């Protein structure tokens, strides 16, 4: 089992819709979770971090964390064509907490159709 | 967040040669990391660059192939030694620090080995 799993996609949504991106992780003791956006040919850009169960909202983005089920998701409301990118989930596992080391998922490619 | 630059942004190298990639940050940071992102893949951590001591390498990466320097809290280099076409990849440095345990990435170096 991979430590951080994401559906590779592509996930296609129409402009204005909600895009839902999911990520599961294997280390139950993980404490820190991050979502990055990566445009083609560019480096990853941090969108959100989440540490506690529940929802965290930032503009059009909402991160959701459920530690009991070991999943974290990212919702993008009012999706725009400019949101088309690969979204990477990253986890700081309990075995490395305090070291800032991340394990990345393979990413989900999102396509927002105009 | 810190401003991170990398040099070179891209290079094409011959098999058997070495390339040194520089990472410069505009402020002092505690943790610096080097990642590799092979075509169509996610990020794989190569090593943690430790200031004033030897880098900490991840499984599958060795110092002889990827020597790293970290002379101060704002600068690090990664050398890719005795290159082969399999080393063709994007190499990224990242920095982390503060209370939020977040990593921020440099723009990356795209390496092609012929």
């Amino acid at each position: 089992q991979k430590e951080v799993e994401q559906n590779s996609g592509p996930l296609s949504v129409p402009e204005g819709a909600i895009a839902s991106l999911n990520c599961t992780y294997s280390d139950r003791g993980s404490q820190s979770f991050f979502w990055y956006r990566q445009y083609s040919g560019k480096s990853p850009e941090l969108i959100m971090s989440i540490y506690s169960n529940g929802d965290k909202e930032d503009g059009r983005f909402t991160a959701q964390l459920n530690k009991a089920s070991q999943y974290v998701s990212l919702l993008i409301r009012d999706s725009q064509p400019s949101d088309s990118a690969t979204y990477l989930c990253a986890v700081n596992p309990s075995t490395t907490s305090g070291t800032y080391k991340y394990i990345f998922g393979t990413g989900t490619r999102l396509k927002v159709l105009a | 967040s810190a401003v991170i630059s990398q040099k070179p942004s891209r290079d094409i190298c011959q098999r058997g040669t070495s390339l040194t990639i520089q990472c410069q940050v505009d402020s002092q940071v505690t943790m610096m990391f080097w990642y590799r992102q092979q075509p169509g893949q996610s990020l794989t951590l190569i090593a943690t660059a430790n200031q004033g001591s030897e880098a900490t390498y991840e499984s599958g990466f060795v110092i002889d192939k990827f020597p790293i320097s970290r002379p101060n809290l704002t600068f690090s280099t990664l050398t890719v030694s005795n290159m082969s076409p399999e080393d063709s990849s994007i190499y990224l440095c990242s920095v982390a620090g503060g209370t939020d345990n977040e990593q921020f990435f440099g723009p990356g170096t795209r390496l092609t080995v012929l």
Side-chain angles (χ1 to χ4, degrees), chain B residues 2-15:
Chain B
V3 176
I4 309 165
S5 60
Q6 282 186 239
K7 284 193 227 180
S9 59
R10 58 177 64 228
D11 208 341
I12 300 173
C13 301
Q14 295 298 319
R15 181 196 297 261

Side-chain angles (χ1 to χ4, degrees), chain A residues 36-40 42-45 85-88, chain B residues 37 43:
Chain A
Y36 287 83
R37 176 175 62 198
Q38 187 173 27
Y39 292 113
S40 180
K42 301 293 186 182
S43 64
E45 170 192 9
T86 297
Y87 289 80
L88 300 168
Chain B
Q37 187 172 32
L43 284 79

Side-chain angles (χ1 to χ4, degrees), chain A residues 12-93:
Chain A
S12 296
V13 299
E15 184 175 358
I18 296 175
S20 178
L21 305 162
N22 299 312
C23 170
T24 59
Y25 59 93
S26 60
D27 185 338
R28 185 172 288 278
S30 298
Q31 298 296 320
S32 308
F33 308 87
F34 308 88
W35 283 100
Y36 287 83
R37 176 175 62 198
Q38 187 173 27
Y39 292 113
S40 180
K42 301 293 186 182
S43 64
E45 170 192 9
L46 180 67
I47 299 174
M48 291 191 71
S49 57
I50 187 166
Y51 307 94
S52 304
N53 278 327
D55 295 0
K56 179 182 179 182
E57 188 174 315
D58 184 359
R60 295 187 295 113
F61 299 99
T62 299
Q64 299 176 318
L65 176 60
N66 184 324
K67 290 184 179 180
S69 300
Q70 294 175 240
Y71 83 78
V72 57
S73 61
L74 179 71
L75 302 178
I76 306 175
R77 289 183 299 281
D78 188 23
S79 295
Q80 301 297 311
S82 59
D83 294 325
S84 298
T86 297
Y87 289 80
L88 300 168
C89 172
V91 176
N92 182 219

Side-chain angles (χ1 to χ4, degrees), chain B residues 18-29:
Chain B
S18 298
L19 176 72
T20 296
I21 302 167
Q22 299 179 5
C23 179
Q24 179 76 54
V25 190
D26 69 343
S27 59
Q28 293 186 341
V29 293

Side-chain angles (χ1 to χ4, degrees), chain B residues 5 65 91 103:
Chain B
S5 60
K65 175 68 176 178
Y91 291 85
Q103 283 190 34

